[in-house]
Amino acid sequence: MMQLLKIIFVITVISITSQSCIKQVDVALRNAPPTLVVEGNITTDSVPYTVKLTYSGPIAYSDTIPDQYLEKDATVTVADDLGNATSLSYTSQGVYTTTDANYIGKTGRSYSVTVILKDGKKYVSVPEKIQPAVPIAEINTNFVNQFDMFYPTFINVTINTRDPAADENYYRWTFMAYSGRQTRGVSCGINCIMNEYCYVKNVDREVRILSDDAINGNDIRNQTVGNCYVYTYLNDFIDISQLSMTREAYQFWQHYQDQQTRTGGILDPLPASIRGNVYNAANTGDIALGYFSASSVTHRKVILVPYSITPYLLQISAQQFIPDQYISCFDYFSNALSYPPDHQYPPPPGWENAEQIKVYW
């Protein structure tokens, strides 16, 4: 009994001593002032170009940015090295858009953006020269029978292309798809349901880049450019963009990609703001975040026609993504393609003469 009391006494003393050594430390948090963020590009595409102006801050990922982090009153201009310029007009959510349909990026020309804020502060970007375009040689697809509670089974899309041996090439791929989605629809009478299906626009947010440093002059094979998730029997309408970038733009996206893929381990470097190419014209040490790029682009629009998709596969893979309530597909998905009254789910415009690829399970 005496021995037990001694053990209890020792444990109590150790516990009290340990607690007395614990000291609260107030860590000073970094509270950096908001910094201008410039995101934009000009390409050889004949589409409006955009420049997005926001400010850094504690913003969670969202399609809607709070007003205090938006720059709405700037004067934005894009110009080339010959002095040809075009102005941009504000639309919404910090986005400024070109209005001159004839102002199109040209290979060999250098472009920069100028941003003048309401207080007169002027930011400019380092000029970027548009590199020659490299065509996409071949598109390949493969069904991947892999699904979970977040995504159904999908079609992996890859490309092959030939890298020019004479040039130093840097690539980036973007991927957009209109994919069929399903709801329970709405009643249109006895045994009648309508608006169950619609096409929903999905933009791949993965940063997919490549340098030809190790493969100069050889084939680029089986480069993944995006995935199409299989929710229905409907076709997928995909648009692949292959951009030829400058070395500086590639390095910017490489740094961005590195930060995105860090595991958070103790040996990882601390995350830091990635230096872009936009700076204060009166103070070159005042660097804006983001990047303004100029690049050529090659497009390929393709219709993926899925074959051999069984009801069983859709049941186990995609059934969970159909909402329980009876609601129109167009009302449930905010980014669903609009449609004329005489069609329930028309294909998106722009793919009328597109190549069709049959995808077999």
Side-chain angles (χ1 to χ4, degrees):
M1 181 66 180
M2 196 64 173
Q3 184 67 23
L4 178 60
L5 289 174
K6 287 182 179 179
I7 294 173
I8 294 174
F9 174 76
V10 171
I11 294 174
T12 304
V13 171
I14 292 174
S15 176
I16 294 173
T17 305
S18 300
Q19 290 180 13
S20 65
C21 293
I22 297 174
K23 190 174 183 179
Q24 180 174 339
V25 178
D26 294 324
V27 179
L29 298 178
R30 184 175 64 177
N31 188 17
T35 303
L36 180 67
V37 182
V38 181
E39 305 169 78
N41 69 342
I42 183 170
T43 70
T44 51
D45 250 354
S46 57
V47 296
Y49 309 118
T50 62
V51 173
K52 187 174 184 179
L53 303 180
T54 56
Y55 289 93
S56 61
I59 309 171
Y61 177 78
S62 172
D63 290 333
T64 303
I65 301 173
D67 271 3
Q68 64 266 35
Y69 296 108
L70 300 177
E71 176 53 68
K72 303 179 180 180
D73 301 311
T75 300
V76 184
T77 306
V78 172
D80 67 10
D81 51 351
L82 297 180
N84 302 309
T86 187
S87 59
L88 287 77
S89 298
Y90 183 76
T91 53
S92 64
Q93 284 292 293
V95 176
Y96 294 75
T97 305
T98 56
T99 56
D100 183 359
N102 295 317
Y103 195 89
I104 301 171
K106 296 181 179 179
T107 301
R109 297 265 65 82
S110 295
Y111 293 86
S112 63
V113 66
T114 299
V115 176
I116 302 177
L117 304 180
K118 192 175 182 179
D119 61 4
K121 189 179 291 187
K122 180 180 178 181
Y123 286 86
V124 296
S125 68
V126 178
E128 287 227 320
K129 185 177 180 180
I130 294 185
Q131 305 300 312
V134 178
I136 297 172
E138 187 178 11
I139 298 175
N140 306 302
T141 60
N142 179 44
F143 254 123
V144 180
N145 187 15
Q146 177 180 317
F147 52 88
D148 53 31
M149 63 182 294
F150 301 105
Y151 298 104
T153 188
F154 61 91
I155 302 171
N156 177 240
V157 182
T158 64
I159 61 97
N160 297 337
T161 193
R162 182 78 178 182
D163 178 73
D167 302 313
E168 186 180 80
N169 298 99
Y170 300 92
Y171 301 92
R172 184 185 176 202
W173 290 274
T174 62
F175 184 88
M176 185 274 289
Y178 281 104
S179 299
R181 295 300 302 266
Q182 183 182 2
T183 63
R184 297 190 183 278
V186 293
S187 174
C188 53
I190 299 175
N191 297 324
C192 177
I193 296 293
M194 63 183 296
N195 295 347
E196 293 177 85
Y197 299 94
C198 61
Y199 283 104
V200 175
K201 181 179 180 179
N202 293 293
V203 178
D204 187 279
R205 298 186 184 276
E206 289 287 330
V207 176
R208 306 183 191 276
I209 56 175
L210 180 71
S211 165
D212 72 348
D213 191 35
I215 50 95
N216 185 44
N218 294 309
D219 287 340
I220 300 172
R221 302 191 63 81
N222 298 320
Q223 168 66 47
T224 293
V225 293
N227 296 317
C228 283
Y229 294 96
V230 180
Y231 296 95
T232 69
Y233 293 106
L234 297 177
N235 298 340
D236 289 295
F237 296 78
I238 67 173
D239 186 355
I240 303 168
S241 298
Q242 180 170 283
L243 294 92
S244 296
M245 302 188 298
T246 62
R247 178 194 300 176
E248 292 76 16
Y250 171 79
Q251 291 172 342
F252 172 85
W253 285 111
Q254 188 177 43
H255 291 321
Y256 176 86
Q257 191 179 57
D258 289 344
Q259 286 203 359
Q260 294 293 102
T261 55
R262 286 176 184 166
T263 61
I266 60 173
L267 298 180
D268 281 346
L270 291 173
S273 299
I274 304 172
R275 291 175 65 92
N277 66 342
V278 183
Y279 61 94
N280 186 334
N283 177 13
T284 55
D286 179 9
I287 306 292
L289 302 180
Y291 202 92
F292 180 80
S293 64
S295 55
S296 60
V297 60
T298 299
H299 272 290
R300 285 285 296 272
K301 285 189 172 183
V302 174
I303 303 173
L304 303 184
V305 184
Y307 275 70
S308 306
I309 298 180
T310 64
Y312 174 73
L313 173 63
L314 284 181
Q315 176 69 27
I316 63 172
S317 169
Q319 182 69 25
Q320 61 180 315
F321 300 103
I322 300 175
D324 290 335
Q325 67 268 40
Y326 284 89
I327 186 173
S328 167
C329 189
F330 303 98
D331 293 332
Y332 186 80
F333 296 103
S334 59
N335 53 344
L337 185 70
S338 60
Y339 65 103
D342 57 337
H343 289 78
Q344 286 200 37
Y345 43 94
W351 277 262
E352 288 79 10
N353 299 314
E355 171 190 2
Q356 293 193 13
I357 298 178
K358 295 181 179 179
V359 186
Y360 291 92
W361 173 251

